[in-house]
Amino acid sequence: MKTEFYSAAEGDGVFDRCGEIIRAGGLVAFPTETVYGLGASALSRGAVPKIFAAKGRPSDNPLIVHVAYPDEAEELAVTSPAYYELAERFMPGPLTVILPKKDAVPYEVTAGLDSVGIRCPSHDAAHRLIIAAGVPIAAPSANVSGAPSPTSAAHVMRDMDGRIDAVIDGGECDIGLESTVIALNGRRAKILRPGAVTREDLLEVLEEVTVDPAVKDPSKAGERPSSPGMKYKHYAPRAEFRLVDAEGDGFASYVNALGGKVGAICLGSEAGKFDCFKKYTLGDEDDVRELCHRLFAIFRQADDDGVEVLAARLPDSTGESLALYNRMIRAAGNRITRPGATEE
Ligand code: TXA
Ligand code: MG
């Protein structure tokens, strides 16, 4: 099929057209503040399986449902006072709340689960698309299954050109990592996937917030993980990704000793210390937000550059950095490299 490509800046006509595609059972990729989503009508049994086909997504991995306003969850899920308190504080924004589903949501969306993830994105183009479609939109990240989530329309086209009806270009995604996913139970929540809304943020509203052990250690995602997505290798470049736990100049020394087509993710201020095939430099400070924003684009760039080993410093696993840690540890196949410790 021919994939229609629009800029969100073209205005209302784009959203009318793309809303019509969604209502007719088609697929539209659209920007959100986290990553690009691949959307279909969440109420259509016929449309939703096309998402799985276009991505090559395992059929047991449920989709998130995107709404224009938090109270649209009423039709889709069993809400609670805690849901509305979370909505008040964090929606629209990068938070997905898993709630018991209602009948309006077909099992095609939830991969057979009796729960559904609700998310109200803050990106204007996402908001306008949902309104134009007139239905809630089921959407995973708009990448081919297993590839890093797309943070630009060019990434989406790379993966999806010819496989979907349309793409709306809204520029680079602000955040760059996917939403925080929580399972809500009364006033308690468990973080299934960390994102820009942190545990500390959630504790402003909730009584208790735990982090699923698989977030820090993906090998702990058992046969039936709390979030089916956690058992799949994800987010990874084709290059081998190495997560290096080294202080100070130890990281540069490690990289410089490797040889071959090595790429390093480093700070601008230290770039001079690296002598390797490619450098992916961040700003001058250790800016967690910048790395979140650029990580998936760097993964894709490193592959385009022909990098064979991509190395990065092990990030903190606290606060906003937990999301980075989670994506990176998974991309590294759950291995941390400790130079000086037992040799590989
Ligand atoms: O930021 C985001 O959340 C992006 C944008 C497009 O909204 N979407 C996204 O969707 O990342 P996806 O499908 O790539 O990741 C959704 C994650 C998966 O790990 C899935 O297993 C989990 O959420 N999930 C969805 N529904 C669930 C449910 N009912 N129970 C447990 N986990 C669920
Ligand atoms: Mg995804």
Side-chain angles (χ1 to χ4, degrees), residues 34 57 61-62 64 66 98 115 119 140-141 178-179 193 227 229:
T34 58
R57 182 178 176 102
N61 195 3
I64 293 172
H66 298 69
I98 313 263
S115 60
R119 163 151 148 70
S141 49
E178 306 86 345
S179 63
R193 181 177 71 185
S227 178

Side-chain angles (χ1 to χ4, degrees), residues 31-76:
T32 82
E33 68 279 23
T34 58
V35 301
Y36 275 73
L38 177 56
S41 166
L43 306 181
S44 166
R45 294 215 134 85
V48 168
K50 295 183 193 168
I51 294 179
F52 288 83
K55 282 182 61 95
R57 182 178 176 102
S59 59
D60 64 349
N61 195 3
L63 308 178
I64 293 172
V65 177
H66 298 69
V67 294
Y69 300 99
D71 63 359
E72 287 171 11
E74 253 358 279
E75 306 290 310
L76 310 168

Side-chain angles (χ1 to χ4, degrees), residues 57-106:
R57 182 178 176 102
S59 59
D60 64 349
N61 195 3
L63 308 178
I64 293 172
V65 177
H66 298 69
V67 294
Y69 300 99
D71 63 359
E72 287 171 11
E74 253 358 279
E75 306 290 310
L76 310 168
V78 182
T79 62
S80 63
Y83 167 78
Y84 282 104
E85 283 170 50
L86 287 168
E88 180 70 29
R89 174 76 177 76
F90 302 110
M91 293 184 192
L95 177 67
T96 299
V97 183
I98 313 263
L99 297 168
K101 85 170 197 69
K102 287 189 177 166
D103 289 342
V105 180

Side-chain angles (χ1 to χ4, degrees), residues 88-277:
E88 180 70 29
R89 174 76 177 76
F90 302 110
M91 293 184 192
L95 177 67
T96 299
V97 183
I98 313 263
L99 297 168
K101 85 170 197 69
K102 287 189 177 166
D103 289 342
V105 180
Y107 281 111
E108 282 78 359
V109 171
T110 66
L113 297 178
D114 288 313
S115 60
V116 60
I118 303 288
R119 163 151 148 70
C120 178
S122 63
H123 196 294
D124 179 61
H127 181 77
R128 289 170 77 182
L129 178 65
I130 302 165
I131 289 178
V135 287
I137 295 183
S141 49
N143 51 287
V144 163
S145 198
S149 296
T151 55
S152 74
H155 297 162
V156 176
M157 284 303 272
R158 265 287 185 93
D159 283 16
M160 292 296 162
D161 193 12
R163 299 187 189 206
I164 63 177
D165 297 282
V167 176
I168 301 175
D169 182 356
E172 272 181 30
C173 301
D174 269 355
I175 295 173
L177 299 183
E178 306 86 345
S179 63
T180 304
V181 177
I182 62 170
L184 187 62
N185 184 356
R187 309 197 60 78
R188 290 188 308 235
K190 179 156 85 170
I191 297 179
L192 305 183
R193 181 177 71 185
V197 174
T198 65
R199 172 169 184 270
E200 294 71 23
D201 293 333
L202 293 164
L203 279 169
E204 289 171 22
V205 173
L206 300 173
E207 233 159 60
E208 188 186 301
V209 181
T210 57
V211 177
D212 192 299
V215 162
K216 278 211 210 173
D217 182 355
S219 68
K220 295 211 169 92
E223 269 299 287
R224 310 203 72 211
S226 343
S227 178
M230 289 214 243
K231 70 175 189 245
Y232 299 109
K233 187 174 178 198
H234 246 111
Y235 317 120
R238 286 191 302 276
E240 182 192 336
F241 183 60
R242 267 190 224 170
L243 208 42
V244 184
D245 186 10
E247 299 285 317
D249 291 348
F251 177 49
S253 314
Y254 172 80
V255 166
N256 295 347
L258 284 176
K261 294 200 162 176
V262 174
I265 302 178
C266 60
L267 303 180
S269 55
E270 61 176 3
K273 295 176 185 159
F274 288 79
D275 174 22
C276 57
F277 176 62

Side-chain angles (χ1 to χ4, degrees), residues 177-178 180 193-196 215 292 295 315-329:
L177 299 183
E178 306 86 345
T180 304
R193 181 177 71 185
V215 162
C292 292
L295 183 69
D316 280 349
S317 57
T318 54
E320 286 179 69
S321 192
L322 178 62
L324 258 185
Y325 184 98
N326 168 258
R327 305 317 189 270
M328 285 182 149
I329 191 95

